[in-house]
Amino acid sequence: MGTSEKYIEREAEKYGLARHPDKCNEKLRRSKGREFCLNCFTNDLKEAIETNFRTLQLRYGLNNVEIEITIEELLKRNQIKGFLDSKKQIFIFLTTEMEARLVSDLQSQGFVDLDQLQQNMSASTATTTRIMIELIRKNKLRGTFNHKKTRYYLEQGLTQLILQEIKTHGKVVHYDLAQKFEIPEGNVKNYIMNMMRNKIIVAFFADGGKITLSEQELESEIENFCLKNGIFMINALATHLQIAPELARRALFKLIQKGTIRGIFTQNHEFLTEEKLSEKIKAIARAYRTISIGDLAKKLAITEQRVEEGLATLISRGSINGYIDMAKRQFVADGKQPVTSFSSHAPHTSTNASATPQMPSKIGEVEVVRQYDFVGGQLHFKVVVRNKSNMAIHDIKVILDVPSSYRRARELITIPVIDPGNTHGVDFYLEPAECGISTIGGTVIYKDAMGKINTMNVNPKDVQIKCPLLIKSLDTIEDCQKAIQSLPSDARAFLIADLPPQMAYSAAHRAVGQFDVTNVASYEDDKSGNYEAEAWFSSEAKVTGGRVITRIYINGSSSTLEIRVWCNEAGQLTGLLAKMIELLFVEINMMRKIKSEERNKTMDVMAITRNLMEISNICLLRYRASSAKIKLEDTYSRLTRITSDDDQSVAKIYEWVKKLEEDVYEDEEAMLSDEDADSLDIDIQSIQQALHAQLSV
């Protein structure tokens, strides 16, 4: 009874009864018998990154099957970390900490050199490669090995490396990048295409997709080509840049809109810089002195309107001397033409600050004033010319200097004559393409009764376009109807005859839905054969405060679509309406690309998405159960057309339709209870996820 523990242990070891791993002292390893110590076996596996089965056979006298079974059991019990390569009969020891460190290093620098990893781990090339493949598999990494499998690039890391090359050089050859990174040339192009698709970079392919040009490099090369040639065919520019003619034309047109390059396109697919145009007109003026606008247009291969605009601009800048006789539709050269040339590129300083050769004469007798307001998502800029003299003025040209942030139908308006003491105004309608503060000015050119040309500047006016940041508001349709009574509004209407009204409604709904708004109510009716739909959205301006309410309305009989916005600030109202219209056109163009046989399913899916969004809002507002029931019934009807009847989502919606028919919700004005609203909202979220997963397959 008094026998000590140590005595018992010694006796157990003496008769071979001890099996505790701590009592082995490597005796079993040296004996090389059929019995072995798991502790010693495990320690051997941990001593090196890789351990082959042959080593374990020599140490423990086990065959390959026994070694594999033992290691698998140790891995299952988490007594050791790593993975087993049964084919090559190797165990690779890799702890969770080591794995996490490798993944962290890979993600931080974007790639890993396997040669360096092999050196750090003191492992074979095959083992290092296997470790890398195992990390990729376990962590679901996306990337690629180079040709020699000496480096692994993470997709994000390789993207950044290629992006840096494009930003540094502007123009990169795909073959050169493929050689540098030792990856297939097709992979380089795919990575660049993904960057373009995800709007990480604005760039273009050249030379049949073998070269990538950044937008800045493309514009720089076009500028240099214009400076060098002055007049050229668009195809010649495209050939020089190794790009498609349409891309060359669009890129050149964008530079003109930005004011970087000045010039015009001719009807012969040519481009003339303003300097070359001036030289041509001067040569014609010296030869003819007087020439009709029509003949000048034919000689220059441009429209008569462009001739008028070009002449007016060149006269106002002092590039040519003469005037336009609007009664006879002629250009009359006046005196000796200027010999100084000017750059076809926009100057760095403001044009309003530069001196003009003809200063305004008889100050006070002719006056120019300007003002603006907002109409239908557009900026209405009005210029008024007041003739305070006792003689008529004629051939008045009003030229507007508009920044590239506005789309405009025209920049020049002609007034034939203004009698003494009379006033004449002209209206320009500009559509803002972006928000911010911009300056709009212009020039007025006129001839007095003596035929002398006078020039006056339209004083620059700062215009602020605001596109407010919106946040959802917890408003009901009744709140919106009440709020619009005291809010100013503006609207834009469009003909949608080339698109089914249901798809136009979906396009408008999606465009407005891209803002952080609450869809408080919607209505669709197609029973009479004339489709009609309406939707209301509520929100608040995040920075300035105040309600912002939006309504879309579709009338199938007249094929019209209207978007109306109520907002208490005119600048925000115009900016928001303009942005919504821009998004609407994007959505409509997308709808037009949908094949006719797929349109019914597409419209059902879009209607279901709208319904689910509105039901979720009804739950949030604890609004009428009858409104939720109508939307659920429509969703049920549409969902059964695109899924099977036994679909779980269909079953859930059917259950809720029946629940909302119970006595507690018999009254049309009955509101959803808190419990039912929360429960319905949870189900709606799960249905949305299930629908998204189903359509993504």
Side-chain angles (χ1 to χ4, degrees):
M1 295 292 291
T3 307
S4 67
E5 182 183 350
K6 290 184 178 180
Y7 177 77
I8 293 172
E9 289 177 355
R10 282 198 302 272
E11 289 299 308
E13 289 176 7
K14 179 179 178 182
Y15 294 102
L17 299 175
R19 291 292 182 271
H20 196 283
D22 292 340
K23 309 302 178 185
C24 170
N25 296 326
E26 300 191 358
K27 290 179 183 177
L28 291 176
R29 179 194 291 184
R30 290 193 293 270
S31 69
K32 299 179 184 178
R34 301 297 294 177
E35 297 180 5
F36 63 95
C37 174
L38 279 178
N39 192 42
C40 297
F41 190 86
T42 304
N43 287 336
D44 275 349
L45 295 177
K46 291 181 178 178
E47 285 178 359
I49 291 294
E50 58 180 319
T51 305
N52 59 57
F53 284 15
R54 179 63 180 164
T55 302
L56 297 173
Q57 284 177 358
L58 295 174
R59 289 181 180 175
Y60 296 101
L62 303 174
N63 60 39
N64 290 342
V65 175
E66 291 170 334
I67 291 172
E68 187 173 338
I69 292 172
T70 304
I71 293 175
E72 286 177 350
E73 187 65 24
L74 290 172
L75 289 170
K76 189 184 298 183
R77 296 179 182 179
N78 286 325
Q79 290 180 256
I80 193 166
K81 299 290 184 181
F83 48 91
L84 188 63
D85 191 337
S86 302
K87 186 176 180 181
K88 295 185 178 179
Q89 297 184 342
I90 290 176
F91 173 75
I92 299 171
F93 173 63
L94 192 66
T95 65
T96 305
E97 293 77 15
M98 294 166 64
E99 182 181 329
R101 187 169 65 252
L102 286 173
V103 174
S104 176
D105 292 343
L106 175 60
Q107 290 176 337
S108 62
Q109 67 180 16
F111 63 90
V112 61
D113 282 316
L114 270 67
D115 291 341
Q116 186 64 42
L117 183 62
Q118 178 184 346
Q119 185 178 346
N120 294 341
M121 289 187 162
S122 301
S124 65
T125 302
T127 296
T128 307
T129 304
R130 179 59 195 270
I131 289 173
M132 199 66 239
I133 292 173
E134 191 67 19
L135 287 178
I136 294 168
R137 183 187 63 79
K138 287 182 67 176
N139 295 278
K140 297 181 180 178
L141 301 176
R142 297 185 61 174
T144 183
F145 284 99
N146 64 359
H147 293 309
K148 299 177 182 177
K149 283 191 167 52
T150 56
R151 175 176 284 192
Y152 179 78
Y153 293 100
L154 202 61
E155 186 178 85
Q156 184 179 358
L158 187 55
T159 298
Q160 289 301 318
L161 289 171
I162 295 174
L163 179 62
Q164 189 59 45
E165 290 286 328
I166 297 173
K167 286 183 176 179
T168 302
H169 301 290
K171 181 178 182 179
V172 295
V173 180
H174 298 170
Y175 176 79
D176 293 341
L177 284 184
Q179 292 294 107
K180 180 173 183 176
F181 297 122
E182 296 182 323
I183 59 174
E185 187 176 343
N187 285 11
V188 172
K189 186 174 181 180
N190 288 338
Y191 277 104
I192 294 174
M193 286 176 64
N194 286 334
M195 284 191 278
M196 292 179 183
R197 190 179 298 114
N198 297 323
K199 299 182 179 179
I200 297 173
I201 188 173
V202 179
F204 308 93
F205 289 131
D207 193 16
K210 298 176 183 177
I211 295 174
T212 293
L213 284 167
S214 69
E215 184 180 42
Q216 294 80 4
E217 180 68 19
L218 178 63
E219 291 182 350
S220 176
E221 292 199 14
I222 290 175
E223 285 185 56
N224 293 334
F225 192 84
C226 289
L227 284 171
K228 182 179 178 181
N229 296 277
I231 177 171
F232 51 86
M233 300 292 290
I234 300 300
N235 284 340
L237 174 63
T239 302
H240 173 74
L241 297 175
Q242 296 179 295
I243 60 176
E246 179 58 23
L247 174 57
R249 189 197 66 77
R250 283 193 287 111
L252 180 55
F253 183 71
K254 186 175 180 181
L255 287 171
I256 296 169
Q257 282 188 311
K258 289 166 64 175
T260 307
I261 292 175
R262 289 176 177 156
I264 60 170
F265 291 96
T266 72
Q267 295 170 336
N268 296 331
H269 305 291
E270 260 184 337
F271 178 76
L272 283 81
T273 61
E274 199 172 72
E275 186 174 5
K276 285 293 181 182
L277 177 63
S278 174
E279 289 176 5
K280 281 200 166 194
I281 293 177
K282 287 176 188 177
I284 293 169
R286 282 191 289 268
Y288 292 91
R289 304 292 298 170
T290 301
I291 186 170
S292 70
I293 298 295
D295 289 343
L296 191 55
K298 290 177 183 178
K299 288 181 179 295
L300 297 174
I302 57 178
T303 64
E304 292 187 20
Q305 183 182 352
R306 293 306 305 273
V307 169
E308 282 188 51
E309 293 177 0
L311 284 173
T313 302
L314 292 170
I315 292 169
S316 69
R317 291 178 182 157
S319 302
I320 59 174
N321 289 336
Y323 65 92
I324 303 172
D325 188 334
M326 292 307 300
K328 297 180 180 179
R329 302 283 297 163
Q330 290 179 336
F331 167 68
V332 180
D334 183 17
K336 189 177 180 181
Q337 295 299 321
V339 294
T340 56
S341 63
F342 59 93
S343 172
S344 60
H345 281 53
H348 294 292
T349 56
S350 171
T351 55
N352 293 321
S354 60
T356 56
Q358 297 159 320
M359 298 300 292
S361 62
K362 299 183 181 180
I363 300 298
E365 294 188 358
V366 176
E367 183 182 20
V368 177
V369 295
R370 78 282 182 269
Q371 194 50 267
Y372 72 89
D373 60 2
F374 300 104
V375 177
Q378 293 181 310
L379 173 70
H380 171 215
F381 197 93
K382 190 175 187 70
V383 178
V384 176
V385 182
R386 296 172 178 168
N387 181 13
K388 296 183 176 181
S389 67
N390 56 3
M391 302 181 73
I393 59 174
H394 57 96
D395 291 340
I396 304 104
K397 306 284 185 188
V398 182
I399 308 159
L400 208 60
D401 185 9
V402 187
S404 60
S405 57
Y406 289 89
R407 291 184 285 269
R408 60 275 190 192
R410 54 181 178 170
E411 296 177 354
L412 177 135
I413 296 178
T414 301
I415 306 171
V417 65
I418 302 178
D419 291 327
N422 287 3
T423 296
H424 197 295
V426 294
D427 302 281
F428 296 90
Y429 290 91
L430 313 173
E431 190 168 329
E434 57 190 51
C435 298
I437 298 176
S438 52
T439 303
I440 299 176
T443 307
V444 174
I445 306 169
Y446 69 94
K447 288 194 292 185
D448 59 22
M450 305 300 295
K452 184 178 179 181
I453 298 174
N454 297 270
T455 304
M456 298 187 70
N457 290 328
V458 177
N459 290 334
K461 185 78 172 177
D462 287 339
V463 179
Q464 184 172 18
I465 301 296
K466 300 178 183 178
C467 188
L469 293 173
L470 302 181
I471 55 173
K472 291 180 178 179
S473 62
L474 298 178
D475 290 333
T476 63
I477 184 62
E478 289 82 5
D479 296 329
C480 293
Q481 295 286 357
K482 184 177 179 181
I484 63 175
Q485 303 300 321
S486 58
L487 286 174
S489 71
D490 211 339
R492 291 286 298 277
F494 309 92
L495 281 172
I496 50 167
D498 65 328
L499 199 67
Q502 295 89 339
M503 297 194 78
Y505 177 63
S506 293
H509 207 288
R510 285 165 61 90
V512 177
Q514 292 187 43
F515 296 87
D516 193 11
V517 296
T518 302
N519 181 203
V520 297
S522 61
Y523 163 80
E524 289 182 82
D525 180 23
D526 200 13
K527 295 176 182 177
S528 60
N530 291 324
Y531 180 82
E532 189 177 20
E534 184 178 22
W536 290 79
F537 304 84
S538 72
S539 56
E540 292 181 5
K542 187 174 182 180
V543 179
T544 58
R547 275 198 178 103
V548 179
I549 296 170
T550 308
R551 171 191 178 241
I552 56 178
Y553 176 71
I554 300 283
N555 190 327
S557 60
S558 59
S559 297
T560 57
L561 159 65
E562 180 190 86
I563 296 184
R564 182 172 292 276
V565 177
W566 286 265
C567 180
N568 59 10
E569 189 171 334
Q572 288 186 346
L573 178 57
T574 295
L576 181 59
L577 190 54
K579 186 64 179 177
M580 285 181 177
I581 299 307
E582 179 184 348
L583 295 174
L584 172 65
F585 285 139
V586 172
E587 294 293 338
I588 285 178
N589 288 332
M590 184 191 73
M591 296 288 180
R592 285 174 177 150
K593 295 177 183 178
I594 298 174
K595 296 178 181 178
S596 57
E597 61 268 19
E598 296 176 356
R599 285 189 171 181
N600 289 336
K601 182 179 178 181
T602 302
M603 286 189 288
D604 278 337
V605 171
M606 290 179 174
I608 290 169
T609 304
R610 293 196 304 270
N611 287 344
L612 295 177
M613 181 174 68
E614 189 171 347
I615 294 167
S616 183
N617 290 332
I618 290 171
C619 294
L620 185 65
L621 296 169
R622 306 296 194 257
Y623 199 55
R624 295 191 190 103
S626 57
S627 298
K629 179 173 170 289
I630 292 171
K631 294 297 174 184
L632 285 167
E633 289 172 339
D634 183 61
T635 303
Y636 177 81
S637 174
R638 293 178 184 275
L639 202 54
T640 52
R641 290 202 291 261
I642 62 175
T643 61
S644 59
D645 292 339
D646 58 351
D647 185 82
Q648 286 188 344
S649 298
V650 174
K652 278 185 183 179
I653 292 173
Y654 183 76
E655 289 173 8
W656 275 107
V657 171
K658 291 301 179 184
K659 185 174 181 62
L660 297 182
E661 289 176 350
E662 294 176 356
D663 294 342
V664 67
Y665 294 120
E666 187 176 358
D667 186 356
E668 284 285 329
E669 300 298 319
M671 303 297 181
L672 280 172
S673 67
D674 290 346
E675 182 181 352
D676 284 346
D678 291 338
S679 180
L680 176 57
D681 192 34
I682 292 171
D683 283 346
I684 290 300
Q685 300 301 327
S686 66
I687 291 170
Q688 284 177 319
Q689 293 173 3
L691 183 63
H692 178 73
Q694 182 180 349
L695 295 175
S696 300
V697 175

